[in-house]
Amino acid sequence: MKTAVISGGNGGLGRALAAGLEAQGWHTVLMDRNTAGLEAAVSRTPVAVDLTDTEALHHAAAQVVAARPSIDLVIYNAGVSQIGPFAGSDLASHRKVFEINYFAAVEMARAFLLPLRASRGTHLAISSVAGFAPLHHRTAYAGSKHALQGFFASLRSEEAAYGVRCQIAAPSFVATNIGQAERGVDGIVRPGSAPDGIDYMTPDDAAAVILKGLATGRDFIPVGRVATLASLVMRASPRLYQHLMRRKIAREGAG
């Protein structure tokens, strides 16, 4: 039985990805700060860990590696967003977004680097439209997702020699936490809770697209109509994309 490790495994998209993989015969290891509601089973292992605690992350990863016959897929899904103008933010909140969205993923990749080489497995980073295009009132979030996407696209060339794939999925707006933003005073919110999103997808629909792209070996997987159109427009005319994005999203009055 192949093993997939999923960070942010207790979120809507994490659960949907796990369900899809388990239906294909995989064992999933769901890593999250809060694993309430996740039950251990033959096909599933919940692991409670704060991914921004580097020591705890590496300890948890070592335990997973020791317990499973192989690590065949690692999905970097954990993340937060921050909604609001840059002028109203501070350095501490910007760093917090990067710690969760970028640095935790980098250390997770380091922890599972050798096991994935041994299995000739796959790193799958869950980026965003904001990972390749600007997004109104999301400076820290877009910066962190651009960094995430750049890291795994660059890691791809290094790990190819070991038979390891690095794939990147870029969902648009996935409705995972609508009405449950848990917004802090710093504007940081749970992913998938933005009130200004466009053409929301369900977690199950997003997971189906991601897993299809995973199976076909696509390096870059746009997820949803908005992500697909945004990637095409960005390649053709970044200026046009900026205009369309400001007109549509800014009109919605993002936080």
Side-chain angles (χ1 to χ4, degrees):
M1 182 181 287
K2 289 186 175 182
T3 299
V5 180
I6 306 173
S7 71
N10 203 16
L13 183 56
R15 284 178 175 244
L17 288 165
L21 287 167
E22 289 167 19
Q24 298 174 21
W26 287 69
H27 183 94
T28 63
V29 177
L30 305 184
M31 303 179 79
D32 209 311
R33 184 177 61 179
N34 179 3
T35 57
L38 292 176
E39 299 295 333
V42 172
S43 63
R44 179 174 295 188
T45 302
V47 175
V49 60
D50 180 350
L51 298 172
T52 64
D53 183 332
T54 302
E55 184 177 350
L57 170 59
H58 280 273
H59 178 70
Q63 290 186 314
V64 171
V65 171
R68 300 301 305 164
S70 65
I71 303 297
D72 304 277
L73 170 65
V74 178
I75 303 179
Y76 306 87
N77 173 63
V80 295
S81 188
Q82 184 184 44
I83 304 175
F86 174 69
S89 66
D90 60 16
L91 179 60
S93 65
H94 207 97
R95 286 187 183 278
K96 182 177 180 181
V97 173
F98 266 76
E99 286 293 339
I100 297 169
N101 292 2
Y102 176 72
F103 287 110
V106 169
E107 280 308 302
M108 191 170 173
R110 195 187 311 278
F112 289 106
L113 192 72
L114 295 183
L116 282 176
R117 286 180 178 180
S119 68
R120 299 174 71 87
T122 300
H123 297 274
L124 174 58
I126 306 300
S127 181
S128 164
V129 169
F132 63 83
L135 192 58
H136 185 72
H137 277 179
R138 308 290 203 287
T139 50
Y141 179 70
S144 69
K145 289 297 187 178
H146 270 69
L148 181 77
Q149 197 156 322
F151 171 79
F152 281 102
S154 300
L155 185 65
R156 181 182 296 138
S157 63
E158 296 182 23
E159 294 306 295
Y162 301 95
V164 174
R165 282 189 171 277
C166 289
Q167 296 174 248
I168 299 167
S172 44
F173 295 91
V174 182
T176 52
N177 292 298
I178 299 298
Q180 303 178 62
E182 297 180 7
R183 181 169 182 161
V185 294
D186 52 10
I188 292 177
V189 298
R190 299 178 71 189
S193 63
D196 61 339
I198 302 168
D199 196 26
Y200 275 103
M201 301 180 70
T202 68
D204 288 341
D205 287 344
V209 175
I210 293 169
L211 294 180
K212 181 178 179 180
L214 174 70
T216 56
R218 297 182 64 182
D219 286 343
F220 178 70
I221 309 163
V223 183
R225 184 177 65 91
V226 171
T228 300
L229 291 175
S231 64
L232 293 173
V233 174
M234 273 297 294
R235 285 200 296 271
S237 174
R239 185 174 182 178
L240 174 60
Y241 177 86
Q242 284 270 12
H243 170 71
L244 294 173
M245 178 269 297
R246 286 199 301 268
R247 186 179 70 180
K248 179 62 178 177
I249 298 181
R251 186 172 61 198
E252 301 296 330

